[in-house]
Amino acid sequence: MNRCRSKCTVANGDDWLRTTLILTKCRTSVFLNTLTPKFYVALTGTSSLISGLILIFEWCYFRKYGTSFIEQVSVSHLRPLLSGGEGGPSPAGLFSVSGDSESRPSVSECKVWRNPLNLFRGSEYSRYTWVTGKEPLTYYDMNLSAQDHQTFFSCDTQQQLRPEDAVMQKAWRERNPQSRIKAAYQAIELNSECASAYVLLAEEEATTIAEAERLFKQALRNGELALYTHYLVLCGADAVPSPPAAGRDTNLLVYIKRRLAMCARKLGRVKEAVKMIRELMKEFPLLGMLNIHENLLEALLEMQAYADVQAVLAKYDDISLPKSATICYTSALLKARAVSDKFSPEAASRRGLSTAEMNAVEAIHRAVEFNPHVPKYLLEMKSLILPPEHILKRGDSEAVAYAFFHLQHWKRVEGALNLLHCTWEGTFHEVSVYPKKELPFFILFTAGLCSFTAVLAMLTHQFPELMGVFAKAFFSTLFVPLGFFIDKMESFMPASFWHQLSRI
């Protein structure tokens, strides 16, 4: 009797579930049949409007910042979560206390680098602002510089965080130049020997290179005193060494000495600048990541000391080191210098290229393949603008930074630009635009979605009956896989399972 009752219960449960599925399908069919063409017009029109607004926002954001907002948010917030929050090496460990070692993280060519020859904000970039009323630097560029300054010139250890350091940490983040200068003076009031405050004033308040040099010299004296005091404390007492604080002071001294050498170079004291750069490279031999050798190359080219330039290239033009436009094009310039004064395209086409000419042409090929944007600036087919504080290797920003300082060196070598023009024009017909600034995927996606839904809305408004049939057929097709899946589940699952499911 109990066995029969259980069989009846299972059968009733199975019938109830089938009845429920049938009623669900019927209700879905009734719902689809009750939808009017106005609903489809409203649905497609609303979708087109929303996707259009997203497209406009994405396009404006791309024009201003060069990237997609949705993509940037995904990379910044979703990728760290998916990758487990792995971070790259901290740039704070670039120098050791003794300056003898340097961390060597893996370097990608598509990385934003600090421009080795970046201009002074107060005495050079500000002139452009005074004349044109426009900002010479982008917000992205200035934000990168603020991050560099906070990383290299401050210390995160609370025990080593002095009051003036806390003020300077905020100063580097200020958007307004006057706010940064005001914060620097506040740091000097807290400590008259705050070297980083004098660095900020030399960079941004000084209106001439001579005034910037005076402030940098004051910052150098204060920085050397701070580093000497730090070591004196460590040697005089049994204190625990503080690498972050010592690294901060060392980074500051390296930056100051480099900028002092650039001041000497801009004031015409080229030999003095070369001497200062050589001493800096000798004191800190592992500064390849900072590309100080590019400052040395530019100064030696100004002195026309081509033998010394070749010696520097022999040391740094190595396959294991990251290349740059300065390395590649300076090498091409030296090889072109040996043949450019007597080079003639007509004569070369008749007799062929000599060994020296072939070497020069191959060097130019190598340089153009590394950064194809440079020739148009050297040949003055494109107007030069002020170089940014950060560059993308192999990009247009690197080409601007290189040509801004090295165009005069190419003009000084007779026939060098002619050889560059003949080689570049005769070989590279279609110049590469790497890194190409392509439209982000989400802009293309939203543009396609907006266009598609707008067309659907227009067609539904013009042909409501026909589009209604298509819409019902589309939604009905969507439910076909679900019905097929349920039928398969009914055939595979035992009746007891459906019984338990019906009770739930």
Side-chain angles (χ1 to χ4, degrees):
M1 184 69 179
N2 293 334
R3 186 176 300 175
C4 295
R5 187 174 299 173
S6 61
K7 289 182 179 180
C8 293
T9 304
V10 171
N12 292 336
D14 195 8
D15 294 339
W16 177 86
L17 184 60
R18 290 179 180 275
T19 304
T20 303
L21 292 174
I22 293 173
L23 289 176
T24 303
K25 292 179 181 179
C26 292
R27 290 172 182 173
T28 303
S29 178
V30 171
F31 173 74
L32 293 176
N33 291 328
T34 55
L35 294 179
T36 62
K38 291 183 179 180
F39 170 80
Y40 295 113
V41 173
L43 178 64
T44 53
T46 304
S47 302
S48 178
L49 176 62
I50 295 175
S51 57
L53 294 176
I54 297 175
L55 173 63
I56 294 173
F57 174 76
E58 280 281 297
W59 176 254
C60 295
Y61 193 88
F62 173 73
R63 290 293 301 272
K64 186 174 183 180
Y65 299 105
T67 184
S68 166
F69 174 78
I70 300 176
E71 182 179 355
Q72 185 178 15
V73 171
S74 301
V75 172
S76 301
H77 299 283
L78 296 182
R79 179 177 294 178
L81 296 176
L82 296 177
S83 61
E86 297 178 356
S90 174
L94 186 60
F95 306 114
S96 67
V97 177
S98 61
D100 294 334
S101 63
E102 174 189 10
S103 62
R104 291 183 175 273
S106 58
V107 180
S108 173
E109 285 189 349
C110 287
K111 173 187 175 182
V112 179
W113 294 72
R114 182 90 175 175
N115 183 7
L117 296 168
N118 62 301
L119 302 178
F120 293 85
R121 287 186 181 179
S123 56
E124 293 180 309
Y125 283 122
S126 293
R127 295 180 185 176
Y128 180 83
T129 305
W130 297 337
V131 174
T132 64
K134 298 179 180 179
E135 291 292 336
L137 298 174
T138 63
Y139 175 77
Y140 175 70
D141 202 3
M142 297 182 67
N143 186 45
L144 288 177
S145 298
Q147 294 176 12
D148 293 341
H149 294 148
Q150 290 179 81
T151 301
F152 293 123
F153 304 155
S154 60
C155 181
D156 294 334
T157 306
Q158 294 297 326
Q159 296 177 353
Q160 300 293 333
L161 188 62
R162 300 166 297 191
E164 62 271 19
D165 293 334
V167 174
M168 289 307 301
Q169 282 185 341
K170 296 179 180 179
W172 298 122
R173 294 194 297 265
E174 290 288 347
R175 179 79 171 114
N176 189 350
Q178 296 303 320
S179 300
R180 291 194 294 270
I181 294 172
K182 183 179 179 181
Y185 278 113
Q186 292 176 357
I188 293 176
E189 290 179 0
L190 294 173
N191 183 3
S192 59
E193 298 177 350
C194 181
S196 59
Y198 282 100
V199 168
L200 191 149
L201 295 178
E203 289 285 353
E204 306 204 23
E205 189 187 39
T207 56
T208 62
I209 299 296
E211 185 179 357
E213 185 181 37
R214 179 183 62 81
L215 291 170
F216 273 123
K217 287 181 177 179
Q218 179 64 40
L220 180 62
R221 289 192 293 268
N222 296 341
E224 290 177 339
L225 179 61
L227 188 60
Y228 174 76
T229 304
H230 177 80
Y231 280 114
L232 191 63
V233 170
L234 292 182
C235 295
D238 295 332
V240 179
S242 176
R248 171 198 62 200
D249 296 335
T250 304
N251 294 339
L252 193 60
L253 284 180
V254 171
Y255 182 88
I256 294 171
K257 290 181 179 180
R258 182 179 190 170
R259 297 302 267 177
L260 279 173
M262 294 182 66
C263 288
R265 164 68 182 92
K266 293 174 183 294
L267 293 173
R269 306 196 305 269
V270 186
K271 291 184 178 180
E272 180 182 347
V274 169
K275 181 181 178 182
M276 296 173 67
I277 296 174
R278 289 189 185 276
E279 290 177 351
L280 182 59
M281 295 173 65
K282 184 177 181 180
E283 185 178 1
F284 302 96
L286 298 176
L287 294 179
M289 298 291 292
L290 298 180
N291 296 323
I292 295 182
H293 57 275
E294 296 192 11
N295 298 82
L296 180 60
L297 287 173
E298 198 280 326
L300 290 173
L301 287 173
E302 178 64 22
M303 295 172 57
Q304 301 184 38
Y306 297 111
D308 293 336
V309 172
Q310 184 61 52
V312 176
L313 288 176
K315 182 178 180 181
Y316 290 97
D317 191 7
D318 185 18
I319 193 172
S320 62
L321 295 175
K323 293 293 187 296
S324 67
T326 300
I327 292 290
C328 296
Y329 278 90
T330 302
S331 179
L333 175 61
L334 292 188
K335 288 182 171 60
R337 176 176 171 269
V339 298
S340 59
D341 56 338
K342 300 178 182 179
F343 178 78
S344 172
E346 295 79 9
S349 62
R350 289 195 305 269
R351 58 175 171 79
L353 295 176
S354 64
T355 303
E357 290 172 341
M358 183 63 69
N359 292 335
V361 170
E362 289 178 355
I364 293 176
H365 280 201
R366 172 176 175 255
V368 176
E369 286 175 355
F370 179 83
N371 193 322
H373 304 277
V374 174
K376 284 193 174 183
Y377 289 105
L378 291 179
L379 299 173
E380 300 183 78
M381 297 179 180
K382 295 180 70 175
S383 300
L384 277 176
I385 59 175
L386 293 181
E389 292 185 341
H390 290 80
I391 59 175
L392 179 66
K393 287 194 174 185
R394 310 188 74 175
D396 189 73
S397 56
E398 185 191 30
V400 170
Y402 171 79
F404 187 87
F405 292 100
H406 288 263
L407 177 59
Q408 57 178 336
H409 305 317
W410 280 81
K411 287 184 175 181
R412 188 179 292 122
V413 177
E414 182 182 356
L417 289 175
N418 180 43
L419 179 58
L420 173 66
H421 183 268
C422 295
T423 305
W424 174 73
E425 190 178 49
T427 306
F428 299 92
H429 300 286
E430 294 183 4
V431 180
S432 169
V433 290
Y434 176 87
K436 189 174 182 181
K437 196 175 182 179
E438 298 179 346
L439 287 176
F441 166 76
F442 290 103
I443 289 184
L444 300 176
F445 176 76
T446 52
L449 181 62
C450 178
S451 303
F452 178 71
T453 51
V455 170
L456 285 182
M458 182 182 65
L459 292 176
T460 305
H461 183 267
Q462 293 293 328
F463 310 100
E465 300 296 335
L466 180 61
M467 293 302 296
V469 173
F470 280 118
K472 293 175 183 178
F474 174 75
F475 285 113
S476 299
T477 305
L478 288 181
F479 286 100
V480 170
L482 179 62
F484 178 79
F485 177 76
I486 293 176
D487 293 339
K488 289 295 182 182
M489 291 293 291
E490 288 179 357
S491 61
F492 283 109
M493 290 296 178
S496 58
F497 173 79
W498 298 112
H499 170 61
Q500 297 295 334
L501 187 63
S502 64
R503 293 182 61 184
I504 295 176

Short mmCIF file of all heavy atoms in Angstrom, two decimals, residues 77 106 143 152 164 198 233 356 395 465:
data_model
loop_
_atom_site.label_atom_id
_atom_site.label_comp_id
_atom_site.label_asym_id
_atom_site.label_seq_id
_atom_site.Cartn_x
_atom_site.Cartn_y
_atom_site.Cartn_z
N HIS A 77 41.77 48.39 -11.90
CA HIS A 77 41.07 47.82 -10.75
C HIS A 77 40.78 46.32 -10.88
O HIS A 77 40.84 45.60 -9.88
CB HIS A 77 39.75 48.57 -10.52
CG HIS A 77 39.95 50.03 -10.23
ND1 HIS A 77 40.37 50.50 -9.01
CD2 HIS A 77 39.80 51.13 -11.03
CE1 HIS A 77 40.45 51.82 -9.05
NE2 HIS A 77 40.12 52.22 -10.26
N SER A 106 63.07 43.97 -14.77
CA SER A 106 62.92 43.73 -16.19
C SER A 106 62.32 44.97 -16.83
O SER A 106 61.35 45.54 -16.38
CB SER A 106 62.00 42.53 -16.42
OG SER A 106 60.74 42.76 -15.82
N ASN A 143 51.73 64.61 -13.60
CA ASN A 143 51.41 63.62 -12.57
C ASN A 143 52.52 62.58 -12.44
O ASN A 143 52.87 62.15 -11.34
CB ASN A 143 50.08 62.94 -12.91
CG ASN A 143 49.61 62.01 -11.81
OD1 ASN A 143 49.65 62.36 -10.63
ND2 ASN A 143 49.16 60.83 -12.17
N PHE A 152 61.45 59.38 -5.09
CA PHE A 152 62.89 59.50 -4.93
C PHE A 152 63.30 60.47 -3.83
O PHE A 152 64.36 60.32 -3.24
CB PHE A 152 63.53 59.93 -6.25
CG PHE A 152 63.44 58.90 -7.33
CD1 PHE A 152 62.84 59.20 -8.54
CD2 PHE A 152 63.93 57.63 -7.14
CE1 PHE A 152 62.74 58.24 -9.54
CE2 PHE A 152 63.83 56.66 -8.13
CZ PHE A 152 63.23 56.98 -9.33
N GLU A 164 59.41 68.57 7.58
CA GLU A 164 59.54 69.22 6.27
C GLU A 164 59.31 68.21 5.14
O GLU A 164 58.84 68.58 4.05
CB GLU A 164 60.92 69.86 6.11
CG GLU A 164 62.09 68.89 6.19
CD GLU A 164 62.59 68.70 7.60
OE1 GLU A 164 61.83 69.01 8.56
OE2 GLU A 164 63.74 68.26 7.76
N TYR A 198 64.58 73.36 -1.88
CA TYR A 198 65.38 74.18 -2.79
C TYR A 198 65.36 73.60 -4.21
O TYR A 198 65.44 74.35 -5.19
CB TYR A 198 66.82 74.27 -2.27
CG TYR A 198 66.98 75.25 -1.13
CD1 TYR A 198 67.04 74.81 0.19
CD2 TYR A 198 67.05 76.62 -1.37
CE1 TYR A 198 67.18 75.69 1.24
CE2 TYR A 198 67.19 77.52 -0.32
CZ TYR A 198 67.25 77.05 0.99
OH TYR A 198 67.37 77.94 2.02
N VAL A 233 75.84 59.74 12.33
CA VAL A 233 75.01 59.16 13.39
C VAL A 233 75.15 57.65 13.42
O VAL A 233 75.26 57.02 14.47
CB VAL A 233 73.53 59.58 13.19
CG1 VAL A 233 72.63 58.80 14.13
CG2 VAL A 233 73.37 61.07 13.42
N ALA A 356 82.13 52.19 -46.52
CA ALA A 356 81.79 53.21 -45.52
C ALA A 356 80.38 53.74 -45.73
O ALA A 356 79.63 53.96 -44.76
CB ALA A 356 82.81 54.35 -45.58
N GLY A 395 58.41 56.19 -29.69
CA GLY A 395 57.22 56.96 -29.96
C GLY A 395 57.55 58.37 -30.45
O GLY A 395 58.71 58.79 -30.54
N GLU A 465 4.75 46.19 -38.03
CA GLU A 465 4.24 44.82 -38.08
C GLU A 465 5.36 43.84 -38.42
O GLU A 465 5.52 42.79 -37.78
CB GLU A 465 3.12 44.72 -39.11
CG GLU A 465 1.92 45.62 -38.81
CD GLU A 465 1.24 45.21 -37.52
OE1 GLU A 465 1.36 44.02 -37.13
OE2 GLU A 465 0.60 46.07 -36.89
#
